[in-house]
Amino acid sequence: MKAIVVEGDRRNPVLRWREVADVRPGPGEVLLDVRAAGVNRADLLQARGSYPPPAGASDILGLEVCGIIRELGPEVKGWELGERVCALLPGGGYAERAVCDAEVLMRVPPQWSDVEAAAFPEAWITAYVNLFEEGALVEGESVLIHAGASGVGLAAIQLARAAGATVYATAGSAEKISVVLQAGAHHAINYREQNFADQIRKNAGGVDLILDCVGGAYLAQNISLLKRLGRLVNIGLLGGRRGELELDLVLSRRLRIIGSTLRSRSRQEHARLARALLSRFGSLFLTGQLRIIIDSTFPIAEAQKAHERMAQNLNAGKIVLTL
Ligand SMILES: NC(=O)c1ccc[n+]([C@@H]2O[C@H](COP(=O)([O-])OP(=O)(O)OC[C@H]3O[C@@H](n4cnc5c(N)ncnc54)[C@H](OP(=O)(O)O)[C@@H]3O)[C@@H](O)[C@H]2O)c1
């Protein structure tokens, strides 16, 4: 089969569509003919050697796919050849065929294209778990979502709004601000033109929850914005791993600082989270209230161009590779 292979050095990885060894499903696994594969920031880091796959996972890039079941491994029940599915993978998605644990498969609703289905698992499950399980967001609260036009950000804005929260989001350009507002943010701040913390303090005093993928560079401002019993959920370090923390605010406001990754969770946990997300919000995808927002697609052989677009922060929504 063919897959994307990372060549070149760590600073300048080169992604090539090459022949690699075939993969086969083991017990409890299925083999998929991949139709589309979502691109994630983690893939960029992995290509640079700084985010190795978990033990036992494929070292091929790719954390989510839409595909057709081609083969059932031993002990797989409840699935048939030819079904169209999407899934989170520990790795191996940038390929003609991918092995996937049957437990984490999701049937794709007929309304979704292959591209939409491949763009769903990572961004939406990340947004769901961090808003509602880690962040304990409830109706009537307010939430600030950084990188609002990212794949995760646009999913989080829509889920938070659907849950009855007031949604603030940041983004780095006028075009992205407009996408963020269309997705349902009540207030959007171009952080390159205005200080986001000043703007939110002026409008609302503060927020109950912050979903943050910037990390160090925003730590002090994030903490200063949280209301009593506020939560900061950190899911990324785009702005660095070190920051200054005013512990007196953490103490006196009884704040919580939470770190979270999806990839390190077990497949049982991935399956549970997908079920929880779809049972609470699944019907809203079918009515069109929730939309999987696609920035662009690239033929998989052009994965390098897709990575360059993401690395330059040009995408608003998900980038997807097609086969
Ligand atoms: N922990 C987890 O389980 C988990 C799972 C999935 C994703 N993530 C993280 O969530 C984030 C979003 O992922 P994604 O795949 O959806 O990303 P994405 O679509 O590539 O979007 C990331 C956006 O972040 C903004 N950004 C980049 N550097 C920044 C900086 N230094 N300061 C402020 N904003 C910056 C850029 O938008 P602007 O032009 O608006 O600046 C960029 O387009 C990433 O950090 C990713 O690693 C974490």
Side-chain angles (χ1 to χ4, degrees), residues 39-42 45 122 126 130 147 149-153 170-173 176 191-192 213-214 218 234-239 260-263 310 313-315 317-318:
V39 176
N40 290 284
R41 282 270 156 178
L45 296 177
E122 179 78 15
T126 298
N130 292 302
S150 65
V152 174
T170 59
S173 70
K176 288 189 178 184
Y191 70 87
R192 292 186 197 280
C213 59
V214 178
Y218 279 2
N234 179 257
I235 61 164
L237 301 170
L238 291 167
S260 167
T261 62
L262 190 59
R263 198 178 194 184
M310 184 172 271
N313 299 330
L314 295 175
N315 60 300
K318 292 284 297 187

Side-chain angles (χ1 to χ4, degrees), residues 166-209:
T166 301
V167 181
Y168 296 82
T170 59
S173 70
E175 295 75 26
K176 288 189 178 184
I177 291 291
S178 135
V179 175
V180 156
L181 289 170
Q182 274 169 32
H186 295 89
H187 309 276
I189 302 147
N190 182 340
Y191 70 87
R192 292 186 197 280
E193 292 178 350
Q194 292 179 308
N195 179 285
F196 72 85
D198 289 347
Q199 290 304 311
I200 293 175
R201 241 189 310 277
K202 213 158 58 186
N203 275 319
V207 291
D208 298 295
L209 173 65

